[in-house]
Amino acid sequence: MSDADAALETALQSLVGGQGSVQVATEPVGASEVSAWCAVMSEANPLFVDEAVAASGPYGGIVAPPATLNMWTMPVRIGSDSVGRDTDQPQQTAYQLLDDAGFTGVVATNSDQAYEGHLRPGDIVSTRTTLTGVSPQKQTALGTGHFVTTEVAYANQHGDPVGTLTFRIFKFRPGTGRQRGDEPVDDSPRPERPRPRWNQDQAWHWEGLRQHELRIQRFTGSGRLVHPPVVADPTTHDMAYDWVVASGRGFLYSWTAPEHPKVPAFDYPLVVGLVELEEGVRVVSNIVGVRPDQLEIGMPLEVCWLDSHDDVTLHQFRPVRPDRRTDTLVRDDVSVGDRLPPCPIDITTELVTSGALATFDHQDVHHDSDAARAKGLPDIIMNILTSSGLAARWLGDWAGDRAVFRNLRIGLGASNHPGDTMTMAGSVTDVGEGGAITVAFVGTNSLGNHIHGSAELALPEGSQGAEGSA
Amino acid sequence: MWTPARRTAIVGIGATEFSKDSGRTPMQLATEACLAACGDAGLDPTLVDGMSLFSMECNYEIEVARNLGIPRLRFFTMVNHGGGGGCATVGLAAMAVHTGAADYVLAYRAFNERSWHRFGSGVQAHHQSPEANDVSFSWTSPFGLLTPAQWAGMFATRYMHQHGATSEDFGRIAVADRRHAANNPAAFFHGRPITLEEHQASRIISDPLRLLDCCQESDGGVALVITSAERAEGLDREPAWIAAAAQGVAEDQWMMRSYYRDDITGIPEMGVVAGQLWESSGLGPADIQTAMLYDHFTPLVLPQFEEFGFCGAGEAKDFIADGNIEVGGALPVNTNGGQLGEAYIHGMNGIAEGVRQVRGTSVNQVHGAVNVLVTSGSGVPTSGLILTSEGG
């Protein structure tokens, strides 16, 4: 480490423990902003938007979704990457020192929200921030840098505490990451999957897949469905058939996850499932967006598509987004080890940009693909408040309207880029006294784990049957 | 139903050493194994007039016949579907000598399955024609289901789900095989038993199959001589009489991928074989003292106990517990070490072990072994045998 780096570390450490002055949001918590947030996250909890329902709910009126805790004080930064540093705030001073030393890159790595009260439309949020830690210089995949941790206390206009946020960012020197270039680069074209072969007895099936139709052979005399196709109805020997287009919905009947030998045409972990379609026949297909340890025989699946060759499309299956439960889980219905139904979330440009805007995050890497590429990213990336909002929505879909979030702790890893799918999965890790349960979860995309974390939820006491639970 | 009626027999068994790299061609292995089998029987190889093979045999009968100097072959055949055909080669040979189509028939398998062509390397480059046999792989290969272990994994997951079996239950098959192999000087894993913990620690090959659920890959050859009771009298060995021999294919049969049946936790083609073996021999499960059950993958051993009626559907995990299938248990299985422990010779080594049990010469001899069950590949069109010391 250079003398300059050593001096920087000393300066940074001297800031730790410092607390800034109270900052007050310029705008109140707004009902229309909450509505927009719910729309983007696909959050259907009426307690956030419906006054009539909320009045008799656990909060006695509409509240803002807890995951929005820190968005009401987000700085507006249109037209500039970097707002002026407020030297009254110790973390801003730390950021400035790091910027000046060349650690200009920044990623959010952790967000631990703990909720003590509720924000309601019209509330004015105020914050007091403490710089709680600066790590020694670390080498990560992104580069050399320092983790900076702050703890922010949130209150409403009455001075009532509403929650705290422990927030960690990584400030790094761009270009100092562990480069893929250090490893031998394999730029040979990816081999194709084994090519399916067909003849006129099955060509209609493969033509259907090209058109995103999963066609199942139907013998016109008996109405019998057969898959894989044959030439004659095994019962009547009638050779006249057409096909039905399957709904694309089914459930997992069995599966295996090949690991050895690995074939270069495939990504691993690879899951090959036997899917029983609603129509009653089975098909072998990849199960995507879900890891082997998240599979459950019987889990609902829906078709999606893979263009595997120039002239071949394959069906794939993925978990179905679970329905939101209409009642609320009660504590007696939940046991440690219970699994939450996996939920795929398609990452679209629309979701990334509208999520960033709905959470007042105007950094260009969340909406401007050219700007993102200029910073070495392949495309725009989802912001942390959208990721936490989606996680909260998925947890709420599982637990029900009246489950009260006590905290939401997340860490971020592989970025969510448009075109990918993130699948949420998790399980109950603790069932405590007073109806509090803890869920550990992970959101996985094609690059790895995008989000991992845990949430504590308070559930109503008692037992009302676990219909609809995982 | 035809019955060999304990009037045909296996009178000679021969084998090469079992290795990972024989250093010789499969043709040499085949020739050595056939000469050894004839030598064991005390038979002049030039008297052989029949050859009974099963598919994936690369040493055709005419090549072996050239090496053995066989002047004429009157009966030769090749059963389809690889490992399912092992016992069928003996069954067809018995049929041939029973009917007079041949006097002495050789059945064999010889390959360098480890050092040359590994069956477990996958079919990703195969099946490229539009003919039905190749097209059948289009329903699985594009999704990465390419090897026998992967095909078997699909059955294993469903079996576990439906019957409450666990990976440890599969492991008990491997532990039994390796215990028997440890005592068999001819076994590749001689002196190397495994524990259930070692099975559980072995790496995943195709979840839920672990490495130690999968048979080894082997170089080697095994040959058998089959003849009639009349001709057996003039030979050196006590005949291992063939009490029953049968083949089986069941409804909606696929090659290792019969995924479209109502229930995929059984092996109904093995049930077709079982029904014929019991009826043809007049025997039942209680009459069997030891069994050589085809064990390419342990999860496909369990349903064999069920199909043959040693226990009810889904009960194999209980049947095999507590050492019941090890020497000293009620039904010792794969006393040579099976294909996990002795060698993977496509099941032909299991038939040879069945002969040794009937002769009373196994290194893991089951006392009082009179009737021995032998099966071939599970999950494919298959076959089976009951060998017995009582016949002639």
Side-chain angles (χ1 to χ4, degrees), chain A residues 38-55:
Chain A
C38 290
V40 169
M41 303 303 165
S42 189
E43 170 63 71
N45 192 335
L47 302 178
F48 302 146
V49 292
D50 186 326
E51 187 63 58
V53 175

Side-chain angles (χ1 to χ4, degrees), chain A residues 233-249:
Chain A
D233 183 324
T235 307
T236 66
H237 304 154
D238 183 4
M239 295 190 186
Y241 66 84
D242 57 6
W243 59 77
V244 296
V245 177
S247 70
R249 308 264 298 202

